[in-house]
Amino acid sequence: MGLGRKMEWAGRAKHLGGIPRKVVLMGVGGFAKIVATVFNTTSVHNAHTLLRLVRSRPPALPLLTVSNHMSTLDDPLMWGFKGFPTSDPNLARWVLAADDICFKNPFYSYFFRLGKCIPIIRGGGIYQEHMNEALERLADGEWLHTFPEGKVSQEDAPIKRLKWGTASLIARAPVTPIVLPIFHHGFEEVMPEKFLCGRRPPFPLCNKNINIFVGEPIEFDLPKMRQTAISLSRNLSLPPVGWPTTSPHGMDEAALRCLYAAISEQIQTVMESLRNFSKSFMKSKV
């Protein structure tokens, strides 16, 4: 059992009256605002859609934001733009975070747990125990952010094939979340992977332009997608990977693989469209 799982109690809202969580989230939020708006210039397209869903979506309706992953500081800097409510811990996102980076010792584990981070073991599969914790947060109607590409990529290139973890959360959530795509550009210049001697800089860089593009919620016809996946899976012969043998919708492993692939492809298509829009938008501003 990893440190992240051992310190799950630190991520609970009532831990020590919620004071440590509030201190950490306000501190991190302040850091994000300083870096994003004081030391750098941040522009957000369609910010009102994100703000509306964070602040006033229907009760018990979860929000799942998905974005590309350009640097190790994407989160929290994404939420540092002017007008974003960083002082209210109840509005802060939950986020899937790499276990080997954010939970490698007790201090990091406690800090990131207070920051509403859920440890994910890269390569641990979409049915690892921590994914159940993410499902619990969605069941509570919370906001969860994921990076479906699975790792940082600072190339100016099309959105790569997405990992299936995000798709599985959408399909398995008790209440289907609102899925909001985000594409951003500029964080790779604020925190480049190879800056000095092939390493990241010790502090975020300044005088960079950050652009964040918020899309519109993605519509998923899950009942139809499940039926299509079941039909497609009948013609497939795939080696088993050890997933649960049955699902709440009576889908076997092959059908689930088809379903997760279809959901991921839809998200990838939308994110790529958002990326292309962002490139055209930024060119028009030159």
Side-chain angles (χ1 to χ4, degrees):
M1 185 179 293
L3 288 169
R5 172 57 67 183
K6 289 180 179 178
M7 290 195 179
E8 187 175 347
W9 47 267
R12 295 170 186 164
K14 295 182 179 180
H15 170 59
L16 296 180
I19 294 175
R21 172 188 283 188
K22 187 169 186 178
V23 169
V24 166
L25 288 174
M26 288 184 68
V28 171
F31 164 79
K33 283 192 178 294
I34 290 172
V35 174
T37 63
V38 177
F39 293 157
N40 295 283
T41 302
T42 298
S43 300
V44 186
H45 177 83
N46 196 28
H48 65 276
T49 295
L50 174 62
L51 292 172
R52 173 175 56 83
L53 292 174
V54 168
R55 287 177 169 145
S56 57
R57 66 187 179 278
L61 181 59
L63 171 64
L64 178 61
T65 50
V66 295
S67 75
N68 57 318
H69 204 1
M70 297 295 284
S71 81
T72 54
L73 285 182
D74 290 353
D75 184 290
L77 298 189
M78 289 175 61
W79 325 119
F81 63 86
K82 185 178 180 180
F84 193 86
T86 56
S87 61
D88 187 345
N90 295 320
L91 295 181
R93 89 292 169 264
W94 289 86
V95 64
L96 303 185
D99 183 88
D100 60 323
I101 296 175
C102 300
F103 296 88
K104 59 185 180 181
N105 62 49
F107 174 78
Y108 277 21
S109 296
Y110 185 64
F111 177 82
F112 284 103
R113 277 295 191 177
L114 292 176
K116 299 176 76 169
C117 297
I118 298 172
I120 290 296
I121 300 173
R122 288 184 284 195
I126 62 177
Y127 285 95
Q128 61 181 279
E129 60 174 338
H130 305 298
M131 291 293 279
N132 291 328
E133 187 179 342
L135 284 171
E136 290 170 4
R137 301 291 76 78
L138 292 175
D140 293 337
E142 297 274 8
W143 167 27
L144 175 70
H145 183 75
T146 71
F147 297 99
E149 291 175 297
K151 62 181 180 180
V152 170
S153 176
Q154 299 195 328
E155 300 175 1
D156 182 13
I159 300 296
K160 296 180 175 63
R161 177 183 178 275
L162 305 184
K163 304 295 184 181
W164 287 354
T166 296
S168 75
L169 291 174
I170 295 169
R172 296 164 61 200
V175 176
T176 302
I178 299 171
V179 181
L180 187 69
I182 300 172
F183 181 84
H184 52 78
H185 182 271
F187 294 126
E188 73 282 7
E189 297 180 5
V190 175
M191 183 55 67
E193 286 290 291
K194 296 180 180 180
F195 177 69
L196 185 63
C197 298
R199 301 174 65 88
R200 303 184 193 105
F203 303 103
L205 304 184
C206 305
N207 300 318
K208 308 299 181 182
N209 291 317
I210 300 165
N211 291 278
I212 301 172
F213 295 84
V214 180
E216 296 297 330
I218 305 174
E219 297 290 337
F220 295 98
D221 188 346
L222 288 180
K224 182 178 179 180
M225 295 178 81
R226 289 188 179 101
Q227 289 302 316
T228 300
I230 290 172
S231 297
L232 290 173
S233 67
R234 295 191 181 113
N235 301 319
L236 297 177
S237 179
L238 300 172
V241 291
W243 290 356
T245 54
T246 59
S247 75
H249 301 278
M251 302 179 71
D252 60 15
E253 186 178 288
L256 287 173
R257 291 167 76 166
C258 291
L259 176 62
Y260 297 161
I263 294 174
S264 295
E265 287 170 7
Q266 186 172 344
I267 297 173
Q268 181 183 7
T269 299
V270 172
M271 289 182 66
E272 179 60 20
S273 296
L274 198 56
R275 186 186 81 91
N276 290 330
F277 171 79
S278 73
K279 291 174 74 69
S280 298
F281 184 87
M282 288 188 289
K283 283 183 180 179
S284 69
K285 293 296 183 180
V286 176

